[in-house]
């Protein structure tokens, strides 16, 4: 079975039926988040319109409107003829100026609210992953840590970091937690890598990811949750500090 059809994977969640009305903007956000996080890769062909509409439980008209919007955003391209269809175009890394503007306009209270939600989702996912993760899940987590350590650009680091947390939720074998983690990474993932983004932060993030994985591998749910919460709290505190610096300029 292809990864698209496997339960317990992030891609299974991406192509799962929508439960919030199937509006055009909801469909577009679902697919654009997946592209931005690298869950659907550059050059990959999407399923046919009929197959994708059926998987998402939306009408083909709604799907076509969503795909049209994504093409206008430069996230998809259409190829005609045999072997044609909708193909992913990975977005360019977001400009630092745009992200700094976004962080400047995001208040401290909102950053704390996002942090609180992420603590609840990711901490619970890590605890459950320690109980439920399969050997395949652990292999994918190790691979994502290696990807983060070897990442050459801030965009690559952001995607490897986000996918690590999403994969933990998948390892918890919870579709709801995986969906929430994808949404959170889509909301704040880019911001987490703009304050420093260089070797010190990278080495620190890799070490924290290894600590989380070691706890999951050991089956120690409380340790996994504590390590995850510490990792998230550190990132949110750094964002708030940088927000305050930007607000003073």
């Amino acid at each position: 079975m292809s990864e698209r059809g496997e339960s317990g994977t992030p891609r299974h969640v991406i192509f799962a039926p929508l439960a919030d009305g199937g509006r055009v903007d909801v469909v577009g956000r679902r697919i654009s988040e997946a592209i931005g996080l690298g869950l659907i890769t550059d050059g990959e062909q999407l399923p046919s319109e009929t197959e994708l509409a059926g998987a998402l439980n939306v009408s083909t008209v709604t799907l076509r409107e969503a795909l049209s919007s994504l093409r206008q955003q430069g996230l998809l391209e259409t190829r005609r003829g045999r072997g044609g269809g909708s193909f992913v175009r990975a977005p360019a890394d977001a400009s630092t100026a745009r992200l700094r503007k976004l962080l400047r306009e995001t208040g401290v209270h909102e950053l704390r609210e996002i942090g609180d939600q992420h603590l609840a989702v990711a901490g619970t996912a890590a605890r459950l992953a320690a109980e439920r993760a399969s050997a395949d899940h652990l292999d994918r987590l190790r691979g994502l840590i290696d990807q983060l350590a070897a990442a050459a650009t801030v965009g690559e680091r952001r995607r490897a970091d986000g996918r690590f947390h999403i994969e933990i939720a998948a390892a918890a074998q919870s579709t709801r937690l995986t969906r929430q983690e994808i949404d959170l990474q889509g909301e704040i993932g880019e911001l987490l890598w703009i304050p420093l983004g260089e070797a010190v932060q990278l080495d620190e993030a890799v070490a924290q990811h290894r600590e989380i994985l070691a706890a999951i591998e050991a089956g120690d749910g409380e340790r996994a949750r504590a390590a995850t919460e510490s990792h998230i709290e550190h990132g949110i505190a750094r964002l708030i500090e940088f927000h305050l610096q930007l607000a003073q300029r």
Side-chain angles (χ1 to χ4, degrees), residues 148-162:
L148 178 60
T153 68
V154 172
E156 290 174 353
R157 294 169 191 174
R158 177 248 173 170
R159 286 186 286 274
D161 179 50

Side-chain angles (χ1 to χ4, degrees), residues 229-246:
E229 289 178 348
S230 176
H231 174 59
I232 291 169
E233 286 174 339
H234 182 80
I236 293 297
R238 188 175 61 241
L239 270 185
I240 290 174
E241 178 183 2
F242 195 60
H243 162 80
L244 295 174
Q245 292 175 13
L246 291 173

Side-chain angles (χ1 to χ4, degrees), residues 118 140-149 156-166 168 185 192-193 201-217 223-224 227-228 230-232 238:
H118 202 190
R140 285 196 286 268
L141 288 169
R142 290 188 203 99
L144 288 168
I145 293 175
D146 291 342
Q147 285 182 32
L148 178 60
E156 290 174 353
R157 294 169 191 174
R158 177 248 173 170
R159 286 186 286 274
D161 179 50
R163 288 179 62 192
F164 177 80
H165 290 288
I166 293 166
I168 288 176
Q185 290 298 329
L192 287 168
W193 284 92
Q201 184 184 359
L202 176 61
D203 291 346
E204 182 178 59
V206 169
Q208 291 171 354
H209 283 201
R210 293 196 193 284
E211 182 181 0
I212 294 167
L213 177 56
I216 292 173
E217 288 179 314
R223 177 182 156 207
T228 300
S230 176
H231 174 59
I232 291 169
R238 188 175 61 241

Side-chain angles (χ1 to χ4, degrees), residues 22-30 32 62 66:
R23 301 187 310 272
V24 171
D25 60 326
V26 175
V27 175
R29 185 171 67 249
R30 168 77 69 88
S32 65
T62 296

Side-chain angles (χ1 to χ4, degrees), residues 154-206:
V154 172
E156 290 174 353
R157 294 169 191 174
R158 177 248 173 170
R159 286 186 286 274
D161 179 50
R163 288 179 62 192
F164 177 80
H165 290 288
I166 293 166
E167 191 62 51
I168 288 176
Q173 300 185 38
S174 169
T175 298
R176 287 178 179 268
L177 287 174
T178 305
R179 177 71 255 157
Q180 290 180 63
E181 185 64 57
I182 290 172
D183 288 343
L184 283 162
Q185 290 298 329
E187 183 174 14
I188 201 171
E190 286 183 316
L191 294 180
L192 287 168
W193 284 92
I194 62 169
L196 299 176
E198 298 302 330
V200 174
Q201 184 184 359
L202 176 61
D203 291 346
E204 182 178 59
V206 169

